[in-house]
Amino acid sequence: MEQVYITTPLYYVNAEPHLGHTYTTVVADTLKRYFQSIDYEAFLLTGTDEHGDKIAQAAAANGSSPKEYADRISDLFRSTWDECGIAYDYFIRTTDTYHQEYVQKILQTIDDAGEIYFGEYGGFYCYGCERFYTEKELVDGKCPDHQTTPDYISEKNYFFRMSKYQERLIDEIQNKPNLIRPERYRTEVLAFLREPLEDLCISRPTSRLKWGIPLPFDANYVTYVWFDALLNYVSALNHRRGAALQDLWPKAQHLIAKDILKPHAIYWPTMLMAAGLPLYDHLNVHGYWVMDSGKMSKSLGNVIRPLDMKARFGMDAFRYFLLREMAFGQDAKFSEEALVTRINADLANNLGNLVSRVLAMQQKYFAGVVQSLDSEWAREDLELSAKFAQAETELNGFMAELQFHRALESVWSALDHANRYIVQTAPFTLIKDPTKQARVGAVLHHLLEAVRTLARLLAPFIPDTARELSALLALSDDALKTPWGQGFAAGHTVQAPRVLFPRIESDAKK
Ligand SMILES: [Zn+2]
């Protein structure tokens, strides 16, 4: 059985789960379900990143210890993903003992290999970013992200000889064109690597920061937060899968937003090289959600919380919007108006109407009992089944490229075709002619095959709805996999329709 290992970033516990986190996590969940649907064994990891200045400061401002603070926010992430139905296999916290021990073990390995040295470092330190800036990188003497004046700090620290791995990293990226994808991010990383790569400062003195993992070779220092957080992808597998680590790790597919490209495309692979571990299989990078009202922020009051969206629109409708609206890799606009339009047009009208019309006719004309197909299929029957076969082929191609929106477009194109097939074959007219009953039965049978195919193809994207479709068809998961025309045994009875997606009236729009 082929394997795949899918990861979300470890979410930093300085903020509660919002739209950005939710998108990455929904994509990870969709990929996992998709790989399972094509018979892969899939393992999905998510979790929380809990060390560093920002957490220590937020905890202090909150009057709690860093650990208490991290416990609370970490629980919030976990319970949010549970309530959203995210099928993660393991949830890691960087404060977990096994993780801390693993980080220390890797640091020791890299130090033993002579890849870490002690040196003096001076730079402009932004506490918000938790990183040093060179004078050149500052804008009018201020942090470009925080618009604050950083402190100039000069101190002794430990450094990882990252510069040594520059050529090898360039070779790896050039030899495997989809190691980092989509292409624009690969290009960005290669452009960055045209400049000399510096060594990476990997420690913080405990005089300044205590909330971190102590260096195994110097108790006066803790590990730089990225050197700690990135290792989670391996430490979690080592902890959970033991011997399976060797097989599964090289199948890793990381999912990240573009703001953390550099740590994942540069620090992480060079760390892996120094630790003697293989690189990940793919680094998959997506863009930002842009709000109508500008950048999402607490102060603007436009933070999108996943559980609010679930309560108001349903999780599947929200998932569908996220996957359909954003071209993976590019930025996309988020607005409630666009969300409501998608729900009404694609889900309520197109999908919902098709399913309810087919089941209503099946109920009305044949009391729900599936009739036999014609011995010879009509041209439009063949076209309908061919259209769904084509959608599945296209979907597989697009999923391999993480083009979720195009995969869904292909399915919806088949859905449109099914709605046209109803108009073409007009079972509601034929039924009035007593000699055409068998044809009506056959037409509805083909339409039920269309619904059955939808239940299978849509399961990774909108899993609750797919389950509902199977329940309406009274079919088990295994029965979804048989070829077109073989899904329903003689005498099989399907359910009466239920509303899958209620239309959202315009007064619910803002
Ligand atoms: Zn900053």
Side-chain angles (χ1 to χ4, degrees), residues 126 128-129 133 143 145-146:
C126 173
C129 298
Y133 281 93
C143 164
D145 279 356
H146 291 91

Side-chain angles (χ1 to χ4, degrees), residues 413-477:
S413 161
L415 247 171
D416 286 339
H417 191 99
N419 278 313
R420 279 200 300 279
Y421 173 85
I422 298 182
V423 177
Q424 275 178 343
T425 54
F428 39 84
T429 308
L430 287 188
I431 194 71
K432 293 169 191 156
D433 179 347
T435 66
K436 297 283 167 61
Q437 305 287 305
R439 177 60 186 151
V440 174
V443 163
L444 290 179
H445 192 143
H446 281 293
L447 285 164
L448 288 170
E449 286 292 9
V451 176
R452 187 171 69 95
T453 308
L454 289 169
R456 186 177 76 246
L457 299 185
L458 292 178
F461 305 91
I462 44 175
D464 292 345
T465 306
R467 260 192 299 276
E468 175 78 3
L469 292 178
S470 303
L472 287 168
L473 296 175
L475 291 175
S476 68
D477 283 355

Side-chain angles (χ1 to χ4, degrees), residues 89-297:
D89 293 284
Y90 191 60
F91 189 100
I92 180 174
R93 302 182 56 184
T94 55
T95 50
D96 289 337
T97 308
Y98 69 83
H99 172 74
Q100 308 204 39
E101 286 169 0
Y102 191 82
V103 170
Q104 291 188 322
K105 186 185 128 191
I106 294 292
L107 279 165
Q108 192 64 60
T109 303
I110 295 178
D111 189 47
D112 290 347
E115 301 298 76
I116 289 172
Y117 63 92
F118 195 52
E120 177 91 24
Y121 188 79
F124 297 92
Y125 191 79
C126 173
Y127 286 90
C129 298
E130 303 195 7
R131 59 163 280 202
F132 284 102
Y133 281 93
T134 60
E135 196 155 13
K136 208 171 69 184
E137 290 174 306
L138 299 177
V139 179
D140 300 325
K142 290 179 175 168
C143 164
D145 279 356
H146 291 91
Q147 277 82 47
T148 51
T149 307
D151 291 339
Y152 187 87
I153 294 179
S154 178
E155 63 190 19
K156 291 235 169 203
N157 263 310
Y158 287 90
F159 290 82
F160 163 49
R161 296 186 198 279
M162 190 162 73
S163 57
K164 201 177 135 179
Y165 295 90
Q166 177 162 12
E167 286 312 312
R168 201 176 139 196
L169 179 57
I170 292 170
D171 287 347
E172 295 276 2
I173 297 171
Q174 274 169 345
N175 292 340
K176 188 171 173 183
N178 61 3
L179 179 71
I180 300 168
R181 59 184 180 179
E183 177 70 24
R184 60 198 299 171
Y185 299 106
R186 173 179 186 264
T187 307
E188 192 180 321
V189 172
L190 284 173
F192 180 83
L193 287 170
R194 278 201 283 273
E195 300 290 321
L197 191 60
E198 289 180 2
D199 289 340
L200 183 67
C201 177
I202 58 156
S203 66
R204 299 288 181 262
T206 49
S207 56
R208 188 151 64 74
L209 175 72
K210 289 192 173 58
W211 184 235
I213 301 175
L215 294 186
F217 40 82
D218 190 338
N220 293 318
Y221 288 86
V222 294
T223 315
Y224 171 49
V225 70
W226 274 114
F227 211 95
D228 161 359
L230 289 165
L231 279 165
N232 90 85
Y233 300 129
V234 180
S235 76
L237 274 192
N238 186 54
H239 178 63
R240 285 294 292 179
R241 299 291 292 249
L245 168 71
Q246 273 179 320
D247 302 331
L248 203 47
W249 167 246
K251 309 285 181 187
Q253 294 225 26
H254 294 317
L255 289 159
I256 62 164
K258 63 183 178 184
D259 58 334
I260 50 175
L261 176 62
K262 193 174 158 188
H264 283 82
I266 294 179
Y267 305 170
W268 182 219
T270 57
M271 285 164 63
L272 287 165
M273 289 172 192
L277 287 163
L279 299 196
Y280 45 73
D281 194 17
H282 297 290
L283 177 63
N284 305 305
V285 190
H286 68 78
Y288 292 146
W289 285 96
V290 182
M291 310 297 293
D292 273 345
S293 44
K295 203 178 172 195
M296 194 168 62
S297 77

Side-chain angles (χ1 to χ4, degrees), residues 302-412:
N302 61 356
V303 175
I304 302 292
R305 292 182 183 81
L307 295 181
D308 292 350
M309 291 289 119
K310 183 190 173 203
R312 291 180 56 205
F313 302 106
M315 194 61 204
D316 272 7
F318 183 45
R319 282 174 73 112
Y320 176 79
F321 176 78
L322 296 180
L323 295 165
R324 178 65 185 79
E325 197 74 10
M326 179 178 266
F328 190 89
Q330 296 169 33
D331 290 353
K333 234 171 94 171
F334 186 93
S335 75
E336 272 197 30
E337 204 187 338
L339 172 61
V340 167
T341 302
R342 281 257 177 242
I343 293 174
N344 284 343
D346 296 5
L347 298 177
N349 285 356
N350 211 336
L351 174 61
N353 271 355
L354 175 79
V355 173
S356 98
R357 283 176 89 185
V358 172
L359 292 176
M361 286 191 279
Q362 192 67 48
Q363 202 62 35
K364 189 169 165 200
Y365 305 153
F366 303 106
V369 179
V370 182
Q371 307 295 297
S372 37
L373 291 167
D374 298 324
S375 52
E376 217 159 298
W377 297 2
R379 183 179 49 84
E380 55 265 34
D381 304 342
L382 293 167
E383 280 171 3
L384 181 70
S385 70
K387 187 71 188 172
F388 275 84
Q390 183 195 342
E392 182 159 8
T393 305
E394 288 175 3
L395 180 145
N396 287 327
F398 289 133
M399 289 304 279
E401 300 294 321
L402 304 145
Q403 296 295 302
F404 307 101
H405 69 302
R406 305 219 43 203
L408 287 169
E409 234 169 39
S410 295
V411 176
W412 256 257

